[in-house]
Amino acid sequence: MTPEHSLPPRQQLIHAPRWPVVGERSARNDASPWTISVTGLARTPFQITLAELQALPARERTIDIHCVTRWSRLGMRFRGIDLEVLLKRAVPLDSARFASFVARSQRGHSTSLPLDVVYKLNAMVVWEAEDLALSEEHGGPVRMVVPGKYFYKSLKWLERIELLAEDRLGYWEADAGYHNGADPWNEERYFASSISKQEAATLIASRDFRGRDLRGIQANRRDLRGLKAAGALLRDAHFAEATLQEADFQGANLSNAHFRDADLRDADLRSADLEGADLSGADLRGADLRGASLFGATFVTMEMASQGTAGARLDSRTRIPLEALEALTDEQRAYVLAVQAK
Ligand SMILES: Nc1nc2c(c(=O)[nH]1)N[C@H]1C(S)=C(S)[C@@H](COP(=O)(O)O)O[C@H]1N2
Ligand SMILES: [Mo]
């Protein structure tokens, strides 16, 4: 059961007109006419043009979107057709159990879903959001919207659908460890770390994470003073209560990393991806966040705010440019501005 128009665990609300752009920002540069094909295990595979697609009887639906980096926007109106209509038109064979969706983008971005999930969730192919044609950065002219899944299942610039007997993992799911289930109600965000406890212990002792893939690493309460972690992939890493004074995280991917009550004094977080990161209670005095991306980041939790407990500590030397603050929810931005003003 997926309650509609409520907030899944550990998501933060954003409100219209805000709608962050996540991932690729444009379609492949290609002069040929836009077509959408349904191929693979089907009796009548076909290809249609964009105009033919948009001439099909459209419907409008109100859908909640939940990005894995912890922002949600509820009740967005989309216009398009049910993916099921398109798929059934190809008459899938009995052996077809999954669909792979491929984007008309530079890297041929892709994702996949079981067919029964496509039907059950009423996944859509849409070309309008909030009464306007989709902008290119949001997947225009045509994208998928899959209600009840993290938004990474909602492929932008849909070009090809392939019907398959076995699942074929998509771009994020195969290469970046995103959970293939993508259920926001069960927080199916990422797979755990691929490194062993032994390797993690050795790396933590070396304090050198530069350029490494250490997704989900467990480093809570560790002493990592002066850590070198520029360019490291540290998504979903656990640094709660860790000592990270003067750590170098320049350009690191720290999306959804856990820094609750960590000591980040004078840390270098320039150009780091901090989307969805939990910085509540962290000590950020002297830290440099210029160029960092902060969508969905948390500096103070609801409980902290309601109990009057302090959230992240900032001082006049903490560098968070205004444009980075723009990405925060109203509550988070208000907290940061209030603390900085002190
Ligand atoms: N082709 C393509 N589709 C994509 C992505 C992408 O990088 N390329 N990113 C996914 C992710 S992770 C999210 S959260 C949403 C973001 O859509 P938006 O930029 O319209 O918010 O698109 C999804 N679909
Ligand atoms: Mo996402």
Side-chain angles (χ1 to χ4, degrees), residues 198-255:
Q198 183 68 56
E199 285 173 287
T202 309
L203 277 156
I204 287 168
S206 76
R207 294 191 193 172
D208 188 353
F209 292 4
R210 277 174 295 181
R212 313 265 321 223
D213 176 353
L214 300 174
R215 282 176 262 154
I217 191 171
Q218 294 287 341
N220 290 341
R221 287 181 291 279
R222 296 312 184 111
D223 182 359
L224 289 164
R225 194 179 307 252
L227 175 72
K228 295 189 181 72
L233 176 48
L234 291 163
R235 180 155 39 68
D236 205 29
H238 294 262
F239 290 120
E241 294 174 51
T243 303
L244 291 160
Q245 231 178 309
E246 292 182 15
D248 177 6
F249 285 113
Q250 251 196 86
N253 182 338
L254 291 163
S255 59

Side-chain angles (χ1 to χ4, degrees), residues 19-26 71 135 137-138 156 275 295:
W19 184 3
V21 177
V22 182
E24 298 175 293
R25 302 188 147 256
S26 58
W71 57 265
S135 64
E137 58 184 7
H138 286 303
K156 305 196 269 193
E275 296 184 8
F295 276 107

Side-chain angles (χ1 to χ4, degrees), residues 152-196:
Y152 58 86
K153 290 289 180 182
S154 294
L155 189 92
K156 305 196 269 193
W157 317 291
L158 179 64
E159 182 174 46
R160 188 159 52 85
I161 303 172
E162 193 176 346
L163 293 163
L164 301 166
E166 305 288 341
D167 200 2
R168 180 185 297 154
L169 290 184
Y171 183 89
W172 297 123
E173 295 90 332
D175 294 347
Y178 282 51
H179 198 299
N180 197 32
D183 179 352
W185 303 99
N186 288 322
E187 286 204 70
E188 294 173 346
R189 296 177 195 270
Y190 306 115
F191 278 111
S193 170
S194 49
I195 56 163
S196 69

Side-chain angles (χ1 to χ4, degrees), residues 42-327:
R43 192 162 317 145
T44 56
F46 68 93
Q47 184 178 69
I48 52 173
T49 65
L50 198 57
E52 286 166 336
L53 175 78
Q54 293 175 334
L56 295 173
R59 66 179 187 121
E60 187 169 284
R61 288 198 31 225
T62 303
I63 295 173
D64 302 336
I65 62 181
H66 309 295
C67 180
V68 69
T69 58
R70 299 185 196 273
W71 57 265
S72 293
R73 193 173 142 182
L74 305 185
M76 281 194 82
R77 276 179 305 113
F78 290 101
R79 191 175 173 76
I81 62 164
D82 283 352
L83 201 46
E84 180 165 4
V85 172
L86 213 55
L87 294 177
K88 293 273 162 83
R89 192 173 154 142
V91 193
L93 302 179
D94 286 345
S95 55
R97 289 276 182 276
F98 296 88
S100 165
F101 306 95
V102 184
R104 179 164 158 146
S105 75
Q106 193 72 53
R107 66 181 179 215
H109 192 91
S110 60
T111 191
S112 71
L113 287 168
L115 288 181
D116 57 350
V117 170
V118 170
Y119 304 150
K120 196 175 97 205
L121 296 178
N122 296 315
M124 293 186 81
V125 174
V126 307
W127 50 88
E128 272 181 31
E130 306 282 311
D131 299 319
L132 296 173
L134 276 179
S135 64
E136 177 167 25
E137 58 184 7
H138 286 303
V142 59
R143 76 174 296 163
M144 291 165 50
V145 174
V146 184
K149 293 286 181 192
Y150 283 125
F151 209 31
Y152 58 86
K153 290 289 180 182
S154 294
L155 189 92
K156 305 196 269 193
W157 317 291
L158 179 64
E159 182 174 46
R160 188 159 52 85
I161 303 172
E162 193 176 346
L163 293 163
L164 301 166
E166 305 288 341
D167 200 2
R168 180 185 297 154
L169 290 184
Y171 183 89
W172 297 123
E173 295 90 332
D175 294 347
Y178 282 51
H179 198 299
N180 197 32
D183 179 352
W185 303 99
N186 288 322
E187 286 204 70
E188 294 173 346
R189 296 177 195 270
Y190 306 115
F191 278 111
S193 170
S194 49
I195 56 163
S196 69
K197 280 213 167 89
Q198 183 68 56
E199 285 173 287
T202 309
L203 277 156
I204 287 168
S206 76
R207 294 191 193 172
D208 188 353
F209 292 4
R210 277 174 295 181
R212 313 265 321 223
D213 176 353
L214 300 174
R215 282 176 262 154
I217 191 171
Q218 294 287 341
N220 290 341
R221 287 181 291 279
R222 296 312 184 111
D223 182 359
L224 289 164
R225 194 179 307 252
L227 175 72
K228 295 189 181 72
L233 176 48
L234 291 163
R235 180 155 39 68
D236 205 29
H238 294 262
F239 290 120
E241 294 174 51
T243 303
L244 291 160
Q245 231 178 309
E246 292 182 15
D248 177 6
F249 285 113
Q250 251 196 86
N253 182 338
L254 291 163
S255 59
N256 282 3
H258 309 268
F259 286 111
R260 183 174 285 224
D261 296 327
D263 181 355
L264 283 161
R265 277 176 291 168
D266 300 307
D268 188 346
L269 292 155
R270 281 177 293 166
S271 302
D273 178 348
L274 285 163
E275 296 184 8
D278 179 6
L279 292 156
S280 58
D283 192 341
L284 288 163
R285 287 176 293 171
D288 192 345
L289 285 81
R290 284 175 294 168
S293 179
L294 291 173
F295 276 107
T298 304
F299 291 84
V300 65
T301 62
M302 300 290 220
E303 305 90 79
M304 288 172 172
S306 66
Q307 291 164 4
T309 328
R313 291 184 72 170
L314 313 169
D315 67 6
S316 58
R317 294 176 311 118
T318 307
R319 307 183 75 157
I320 310 183
L322 281 175
E323 65 266 22
L325 290 181
E326 275 302 300

